[in-house]
Amino acid sequence: MPTIHPLPAQLINQIAAGEVIERPASVVKELVENSLDAGARSLRVDLEQGGIKLIRVTDDGMGLGCDDLSLAVARHATSKIASLDDLEGVATLGFRGEALPSIASVSRFTLTSRRDGDEHGWCLRCDGSDRPEPAQPAAHGVGTSVEVRDLFYNVPARRKFLRTERTELGHIDQLLTRFALARGNLSLRLTHNGRVSLELAGAAAALAPERLQRLLGEAFLAHALAVDDTAVGLRLHGLVASPAFARSQGDMQFFYVNGRLVRDKLVNHAVRQAYRDVLHHSRHPAFLLFLELPPRQVDVNVHPAKHEVRFRESRQVHDFIFRALHRRLAAGQGLAGADAAATRPQAAPAPETDAAVTAVPARPAGTAARVLPLGIEDASGGYRPGGAYGGRPGGAAAAAALAFQRPAPSAQAAAATAPQPGADRPPLGFAIGQLNGIYVLAETEEGLIIVDMHAAHERIGYERLKQAIHGKALVRQALLMPVSVRVSQAEADLAETHAALLERLGLVVGRLGETQLVVRELPALLAQAHAEQLLRDVLADLGTEGRSERIEAAVDALLATMACHGAVRANRRLTLAEMNALLREMERTERADQCNHGRPTWTRLTQRELDALFLRGR
């Protein structure tokens, strides 16, 4: 065994580079973060050969003085923290003081900078050794330029792991896109081999539509729902895409914590739970979200590259994100919208408790409820102009149409459903007919509404079933033959500790020994489920996250199947009364924009779009 000896400074820096510098994009990340921390409003990134030959980052930040240059490439030298108290409340993107010396140890490195008020700038060069050359005067504008040439030239083993020029450029382009999304006022220019690859001007607003369209595409903006929620010292704002814009992979998921892009399991779980009822399990949501909280409530010093964070109140953060997104997705777009949703009573509890329930206003006194042939309850039949459409309809215009228990002749029905002159229309308008036994057509002031009647009826039925089931104690069914399950001692302890929670979930579990559990009762709706597998899955959730939505998800899946089988089928001819009742119920139902599988339930063709089809006005 060799004797213990201190490592050379150069080797120490190269080891640190192995943790921080993975590829050219890692270098660009560290340099851009330093520029943003220095107050830069304009950035220029020049690359050659995907960053392998050259990376040059130039900013207009506050710059460095002559004495600061040598310290900038010294290990653990930084201007961003000075004590443990500062480390517990980091408000900058970088703070460790490892990036520049690590980069300088594996490249031919040049640092040039000038502070405002100095006569000239200063330049420092490193060739991969632990002894940089003395700083020399240099011509330079206010700000800093960092030039990195021949990355990993002195570490050939690392250089072999680099990919093609095109791949490395793609990683850098994605990285700069993420920075541009977080800093709307940042002017950015990227050149590769002398050609401009990306150029963005600074915007006044963080979420400027033109900027977002360039970075995320027009389709994302067309499906984007604005989010802005505040509670318990936390603020979540940004954009989430409607389920209709679901992706096959999570390539459009951007989550920032105090301006820092992170990939966090807790955050991903909260987002997935919010989308659970409206997104197919194999699809991924798209979002651009910003979480703001006091710096002392989040630990950013848990990963060398600072990709991960740890929240001090993780349960609170999880529930806040879930509730905010749950409410916004429930409001949808076009029917209620965020503002109308705020006036409608809602419940958005934590996932392990009750599911959201939309409060249905009481039926007017003296009105008898009727069930139309479609299966949708109707009390008064019409739409009440001027009132919140979340209430029971009561307008005279559509009341006549819905007054028929039997199908009426088409002429009579058309006259009955025609809105009175000057009367307000409900958000989804009034039905005018049915197309191919599949779509309901409705007229609004803006144009034409087209509704997939099966998908819409399926969502309505599903939400009704959830309201009937959730919010009450799950009915349990005793097993004729209790199921014995052998687990680890840690899992048995977990089941014993959370016995009350398991019972609330409808799962009655006893302990027979150190590693033996027995399942005595299951939720009645899941009586045919595999008891042992269900228990193991729930215990796994409790062990990793301290909660479990496994049973609720299984119940909801069963309710979704029931709703799908109970929904009106294609080629079912509906009366105008049934069509209007379906439209009014959609306006009262949360998440009515999409069915249980994430498909849209309706779309709108505006008058302008209809005119364009026939070249009117040209």
Side-chain angles (χ1 to χ4, degrees):
M1 184 71 180
T3 59
I4 298 175
H5 59 277
L7 294 175
Q10 182 183 11
L11 182 56
I12 293 174
N13 288 335
Q14 290 175 339
I15 292 173
E19 297 179 347
V20 179
I21 309 303
E22 178 185 0
R23 62 194 332 147
S26 305
V27 175
V28 175
K29 174 182 181 295
E30 298 293 343
L31 298 183
V32 170
E33 285 182 347
N34 282 341
S35 296
L36 295 177
D37 285 341
R41 300 286 296 273
S42 177
L43 273 178
R44 174 166 177 161
V45 181
D46 300 307
L47 306 173
E48 291 182 12
Q49 296 180 16
I52 300 172
K53 181 65 177 177
L54 169 69
I55 298 172
R56 184 189 300 115
V57 176
T58 305
D59 67 55
D60 62 349
M62 63 182 63
L64 298 171
C66 178
D67 297 336
D68 293 329
L69 293 185
S70 58
L71 286 174
V73 293
R75 281 181 58 76
H76 305 307
T78 180
S79 62
K80 300 171 184 177
I81 59 173
S83 65
L84 180 62
D85 190 58
D86 295 336
L87 187 61
E88 292 178 351
V90 173
T92 55
L93 296 176
F95 55 89
R96 292 180 173 216
E98 293 178 342
L100 291 185
S102 298
I103 296 170
S105 69
V106 293
S107 66
R108 294 184 172 93
F109 180 88
T110 303
L111 173 62
T112 309
S113 188
R114 177 188 168 194
R115 292 183 301 192
D116 189 16
D118 289 354
E119 293 182 0
H120 56 78
W122 294 89
C123 177
L124 180 74
R125 290 184 172 85
C126 301
D127 60 358
S129 67
D130 58 336
R131 294 181 181 178
E133 300 176 4
Q136 300 292 330
H140 195 276
V142 175
T144 302
S145 295
V146 180
E147 187 176 282
V148 179
R149 288 187 176 273
D150 302 325
L151 185 63
F152 297 134
Y153 82 97
N154 55 352
V155 192
R158 294 294 304 280
R159 195 178 180 93
K160 292 179 181 178
F161 284 93
L162 297 179
R163 302 302 180 187
T164 64
E165 179 178 320
R166 183 184 183 91
T167 299
E168 298 298 345
L169 176 62
H171 284 287
I172 295 174
D173 188 78
Q174 291 177 8
L175 175 72
L176 294 179
T177 296
R178 296 182 182 117
F179 280 116
L181 289 171
R183 304 291 180 105
N185 61 349
L186 180 66
S187 175
L188 181 63
R189 180 185 175 92
L190 170 65
T191 67
H192 182 246
N193 294 338
R195 300 180 61 180
V196 176
S197 177
L198 175 66
E199 189 165 15
L200 292 170
L207 299 177
E210 299 81 5
R211 191 180 181 93
L212 291 178
Q213 182 175 338
R214 173 73 186 280
L215 296 172
L216 298 180
E218 186 176 351
F220 176 85
L221 281 185
H223 292 86
L225 307 173
V227 177
D228 197 339
D229 210 335
T230 305
V232 294
L234 307 173
R235 183 192 177 201
L236 182 71
H237 62 100
L239 301 171
V240 293
S242 66
F245 189 71
R247 313 276 291 178
S248 60
Q249 55 187 349
D251 59 338
M252 293 191 69
Q253 299 182 348
F254 306 95
F255 195 93
Y256 298 84
V257 177
N258 290 344
R260 182 192 305 277
L261 181 71
V262 301
R263 297 190 295 266
D264 188 84
K265 292 181 180 179
L266 179 139
V267 168
N268 290 338
H269 185 267
V271 174
R272 291 291 300 182
Q273 286 301 308
Y275 273 89
R276 187 183 67 190
D277 266 355
V278 294
L279 197 65
H280 191 273
H281 62 85
S282 65
R283 307 291 289 175
H284 298 266
F287 53 84
L288 170 61
L289 293 171
F290 302 87
L291 177 65
E292 298 175 7
L293 71 168
R296 294 186 179 278
Q297 294 300 315
V298 57
D299 184 2
V300 299
N301 194 29
V302 297
H303 190 277
K306 302 180 288 293
H307 291 313
E308 301 174 3
V309 295
R310 181 182 296 118
F311 298 102
R312 302 196 188 281
E313 298 292 339
S314 58
R315 177 68 174 269
Q316 185 180 74
V317 171
H318 179 282
D319 289 352
F320 170 70
I321 296 172
F322 167 77
R323 292 169 188 267
L325 298 184
H326 185 275
R327 283 193 294 266
R328 187 62 190 94
L329 291 171
Q333 61 181 358
L335 289 182
D339 295 334
T343 64
R344 185 174 57 209
Q346 296 181 12
E352 76 277 9
T353 57
D354 301 338
V357 177
T358 304
V360 179
R363 183 181 299 115
T367 305
R370 297 186 299 109
V371 178
L372 295 167
L374 184 61
I376 295 178
E377 183 184 283
D378 170 55
S380 56
Y383 168 69
R384 183 168 55 250
Y389 58 77
R392 288 292 183 187
L402 296 184
F404 296 98
Q405 183 71 19
R406 298 178 180 177
S410 57
Q412 294 178 339
T417 54
Q420 298 294 337
D424 292 336
R425 294 175 186 265
L428 291 180
F430 295 105
I432 57 177
Q434 191 175 5
L435 179 64
N436 294 334
I438 300 175
Y439 302 106
V440 171
L441 307 181
E443 179 186 6
T444 69
E445 294 178 355
E446 293 79 18
L448 178 70
I449 296 290
I450 305 174
V451 177
D452 183 331
M453 65 182 192
H454 172 77
H457 198 209
E458 181 180 359
R459 168 58 68 181
I460 293 170
Y462 178 47
E463 293 297 328
R464 283 184 172 182
L465 288 172
K466 287 201 303 180
Q467 292 179 25
I469 295 297
H470 297 305
K472 305 175 183 178
L474 284 175
V475 177
R476 300 194 300 269
Q477 178 173 318
L479 298 179
L480 184 62
M481 296 290 293
V483 177
S484 179
V485 182
R486 185 170 294 277
V487 296
S488 67
Q489 184 172 350
E491 289 176 317
D493 293 340
L494 196 65
E496 192 172 22
T497 302
H498 292 86
L501 173 60
L502 293 175
E503 188 169 343
R504 286 205 308 274
L505 294 174
L507 203 59
V508 177
V509 180
R511 186 169 185 175
L512 301 180
E514 287 188 357
T515 59
Q516 194 79 13
L517 298 176
V518 59
V519 181
R520 295 192 171 93
E521 296 182 29
L522 287 177
L525 284 173
L526 304 179
Q528 304 302 318
H530 193 288
E532 178 178 348
Q533 188 60 49
L534 183 62
L535 175 62
R536 291 188 185 278
D537 290 343
V538 170
L539 291 179
D541 291 341
L542 291 175
T544 56
E545 300 168 10
R547 71 184 73 209
S548 177
E549 296 88 23
R550 188 80 54 171
I551 292 178
E552 186 181 60
V555 170
D556 285 348
L558 178 61
L559 298 182
T561 301
M562 294 169 60
C564 183
H565 290 309
V568 61
R569 297 294 179 179
N571 298 318
R572 162 79 181 275
R573 306 307 301 180
L574 303 182
T575 67
L576 284 175
E578 292 176 307
M579 297 180 207
N580 278 302
L582 178 66
L583 297 175
R584 301 294 79 77
E585 193 67 26
M586 288 176 64
E587 293 162 354
R588 291 192 291 266
T589 302
E590 287 187 342
R591 307 171 192 85
D593 286 338
Q594 55 280 317
C595 75
N596 313 338
H597 313 294
R599 294 191 299 108
T601 59
W602 67 279
T603 189
R604 174 189 287 116
L605 285 176
T606 65
Q607 189 68 43
R608 182 187 298 272
E609 291 169 330
L610 291 171
D611 290 344
L613 292 175
F614 297 96
L615 305 180
R616 291 180 61 86
R618 297 191 183 182

